[in-house]
């Protein structure tokens, strides 16, 4: 029995001196696909401007909505809990580096034999430690660390999407409001045109056809209002979901500051010296209202290529590559023998009931090395390695696809913004022209110089052109949002902040022993994120 400890210590010394060899490829990073040559590199000013891009719209309500979304959005909260799960998974991987078997067991029983009662008791402590000679557990830790960083990047990616969705639905809401403003003003115009036509009809100057056509146009414009109200409600409800708030509360937020956009119909519609209706087309803003915010954006600035590779979804794909690379080595380790140390301390007693501990009681100690080797694995392990290598290669392809997709998104958003800006400029000219055409046609119709059909056409053009003008303004703002999203802006606001609320952490601590995992420092995102 005295030789056993010496054998165990000798085996331990040999194993420790042999060191740990990490099998499999060492991760050296990914090759970035070719980015457009005209893009610059390393312009940190662009990155800083992207951090809070929504403020370029200079809209206090939008700023409040984004702040609320970061604090309350359920997808962001779920992403934070996934970070916590990844931390726990990393802890499991790290724990495998220590003795994997640590078991204390025992039993006690009373037996009867030949009218005598005996007390039987056993107590054992078993210890087993598979040494990480081939780096199986080290590669597992490497993979778990990469998965943790992947969840951090996923958290940031969700933030980018949520903020962009809040802004996009906010623009949709304001666009619906502005289109409604135009529609209601045009209803007022068409009501007056219809009244004017009815007077002409009653005087016998026009046919009933002119009067019915005027009414038809009026009713069609009125019928468009409910669909615009529906668009407004849908946008509000989408914001409610993103902010995890009651729709009535969101309505109050959206209604704040609207008093300055008072109806200016009376100023917009007037009469000339002869009492003929005229529209004022000289004002800077057609409706004396600006419901759709405009971004301060120069689309001709050069794009920083590094912004693409720092996008959270690109970093997520990169960490998935790293994780899959580490798992190749973990699989390779299974081809080789595993070496372990085992130990056991056991105490056993078997005495008559009521007797003292006797010499039959035994205290046993055992320690020594062990090994196992899957020598007849029939290529199963090799095929697992091949499978993991194919998964790794697929993740590389996915990374390249993500980068190229990001380049495409930036190009689409940038060119859409530039072309929509040109469209808005021309459409504004068209709106001014339709106002002028309407004023001329009303005068000439009253003077009997043109038919009602000419007046009807100008009224129809006025309505459709103004509606298109509001839609284009909304599209321009959304294209700006899409560009900021394509460049990965917005996630930076989470730096140094908690990914888990104090309320949630307190509830989880009360339910389960989380140790230090839920401490304030542990649940804060690092200021120097891997995306930098």
């Amino acid at each position: 029995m005295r030789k056993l400890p010496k054998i165990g210590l000798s085996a331990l010394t040999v194993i420790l001196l042999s060191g740990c060899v990490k099998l499999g490829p060492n991760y050296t990073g990914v090759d970035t696909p070719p980015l457009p040559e005209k893009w610059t590199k390393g312009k940190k000013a662009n990155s800083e401007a992207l951090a809070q891009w929504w403020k370029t719209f200079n809209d206090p309500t939008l700023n409040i909505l984004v702040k609320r979304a970061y604090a309350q959005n359920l997808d962001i909260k779920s992403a934070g809990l996934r970070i916590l799960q990844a931390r726990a998974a990393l802890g499991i991987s790290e724990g495998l580096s220590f003795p994997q078997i640590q078991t204390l067991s025992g039993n006690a029983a009373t037996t009867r034999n030949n009218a005598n009662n005996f007390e039987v008791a056993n107590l054992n402590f078993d210890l087993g430690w598979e040494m990480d000679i081939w780096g199986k557990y080290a590669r597992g830790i490497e993979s778990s660390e990469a998965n943790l960083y992947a969840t951090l990047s996923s958290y940031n990616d969700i933030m980018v999407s949520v903020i962009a969705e809040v802004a996009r639905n906010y623009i949709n809401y304001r666009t619906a409001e502005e289109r409604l403003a135009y529609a209601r003003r045009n209803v007022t115009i068409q009501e007056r045109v219809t009244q004017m036509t009815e007077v002409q009809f009653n005087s016998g100057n026009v046919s009933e056809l002119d009067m019915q056509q005027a009414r038809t146009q009026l009713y069609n414009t009125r019928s468009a209002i409910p669909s615009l109200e529906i668009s407004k409600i849908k946008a509000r409800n989408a914001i409610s979901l993103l902010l995890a708030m009651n729709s009535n509360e969101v309505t109050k937020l959206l209604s704040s500051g609207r008093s300055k956009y008072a109806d200016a119909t009376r100023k917009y519609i007037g009469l000339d010296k002869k009492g003929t209706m005229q529209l004022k087309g000289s004002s800077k803003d057609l409706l004396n209202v600006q419901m759709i915010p405009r971004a301060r954006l120069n689309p001709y600035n050069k794009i920083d290529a590094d912004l693409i590779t720092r996008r959270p979804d690109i970093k997520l794909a990169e960490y998935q590559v790293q994780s899959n690379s580490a798992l190749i080595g973990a699989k390779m380790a299974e081809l080789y023998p595993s070496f372990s140390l085992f130990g056991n301390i056991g105490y056993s007693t078997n005495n008559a009931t009521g007797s003292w501990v006797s010499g039959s009681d035994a205290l046993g100690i055992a320690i020594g090395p062990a090994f196992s080797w899957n020598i007849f694995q029939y290529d199963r392990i090799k095929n697992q390695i091949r499978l993991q290598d194919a998964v790794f290669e697929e993740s590389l392809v996915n990374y390249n696809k993500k980068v190229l997709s990001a380049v495409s998104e930036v190009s689409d958003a940038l060119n859409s913004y530039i072309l929509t800006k040109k469209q808005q400029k021309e459409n504004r000219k068209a709106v001014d022209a339709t106002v002028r055409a309407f004023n001329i046609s009303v005068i000439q119709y009253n003077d009997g110089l043109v038919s009602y059909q000419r007046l009807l056409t100008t009224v129809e053009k006025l309505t459709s052109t103004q509606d298109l003008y509001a839609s284009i303004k909304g599209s321009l703002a959304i294209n700006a949002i899409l560009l900021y999203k394509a460049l990965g802006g917005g996630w930076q606001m989470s730096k140094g902040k908690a990914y888990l609320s104090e309320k949630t952490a307190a509830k989880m601590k009360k339910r389960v022993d989380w140790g230090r995992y839920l401490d304030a420092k542990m649940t804060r995102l690092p200021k120097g994120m891997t995306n930098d």
Side-chain angles (χ1 to χ4, degrees), residues 351-378:
N351 298 305
T353 301
S355 299
W356 291 93
V357 175
S358 67
S360 62
D361 298 327
L363 176 66
I365 301 175
I367 185 172
F371 84 96
S372 63
W373 195 353
N374 294 319
I375 56 175
F376 299 114
Q377 40 86 12
Y378 305 104

Side-chain angles (χ1 to χ4, degrees), residues 108-124:
T110 300
T111 62
R112 184 177 180 81
N113 187 11
N114 296 327
N116 295 316
N117 292 333
F118 294 89
E119 303 288 347
V120 180
N122 294 283
L123 184 65
N124 292 281

